[in-house]
Amino acid sequence: QEQVAESGGGSVQIGGSLRLSCVASGFTYSAACVAWFRQPPGKEREGVAALYTGSGKTYYLDVEKGRFTISQDVAQNTVFLDLSNLQPEDTALYYCAAERNCPPMTARQALGTAVYRTWGQGTQVTVSS
């Protein structure tokens, strides 16, 4: 069964950092694409970063370039999202999503929800002063 599981969320103060982890199982990790999405309270889910596990190619939501970094540990089938200089508007439920056979995509497609069929339950990030 194809699954992804997130961890690493928590409560931090403004300017703090967190590392989120997404462990994938049940599919050939090296042929997949994995993305991180966030959904603030009362708002739509948006993609913030995506990665092709085979090539390592990455995509980012433009406004978060420089603060968020997506990376992977291939041996552990794990994709990370490093969040830095966190602000209250970053408070959200962060989801990991994966698709086992990804075609070539534009950044907009890679950060869109339609591509991904496997979703985690989410991990909460709360930023406060």
Side-chain angles (χ1 to χ4, degrees):
Q1 184 179 1
E2 299 173 359
Q3 292 183 328
V4 293
E6 310 95 335
S7 62
S11 297
V12 296
Q13 293 187 324
I14 292 173
S17 300
L18 283 172
R19 166 169 271 201
L20 308 183
S21 299
C22 172
V23 180
S25 61
F27 56 90
T28 303
Y29 177 83
S30 60
C33 53
V34 179
W36 284 97
F37 293 79
R38 66 183 176 190
Q39 188 164 17
K43 296 186 178 180
E44 293 187 354
R45 194 173 300 188
E46 67 175 353
V48 296
L51 175 145
Y52 279 92
T53 58
S55 66
K57 185 175 178 63
T58 58
Y59 298 98
Y60 290 96
L61 184 64
D62 281 346
V63 295
E64 303 304 352
K65 284 181 180 177
R67 290 200 309 130
F68 293 0
T69 303
I70 191 169
S71 61
Q72 64 177 334
D73 182 337
V74 175
Q76 299 295 324
N77 285 9
T78 301
V79 174
F80 304 102
L81 184 68
D82 288 302
L83 313 174
S84 63
N85 191 23
L86 285 163
Q87 303 298 313
E89 55 267 31
D90 297 315
T91 294
L93 192 57
Y94 283 72
Y95 295 91
C96 174
E99 178 57 34
R100 56 187 169 90
N101 287 312
C102 274
M105 294 185 288
T106 63
R108 182 168 182 165
Q109 290 171 321
L111 296 176
T113 58
V115 172
Y116 305 94
R117 290 180 288 179
T118 301
W119 290 81
Q121 296 298 307
T123 186
Q124 178 67 39
V125 172
T126 303
V127 185
S128 58
S129 58

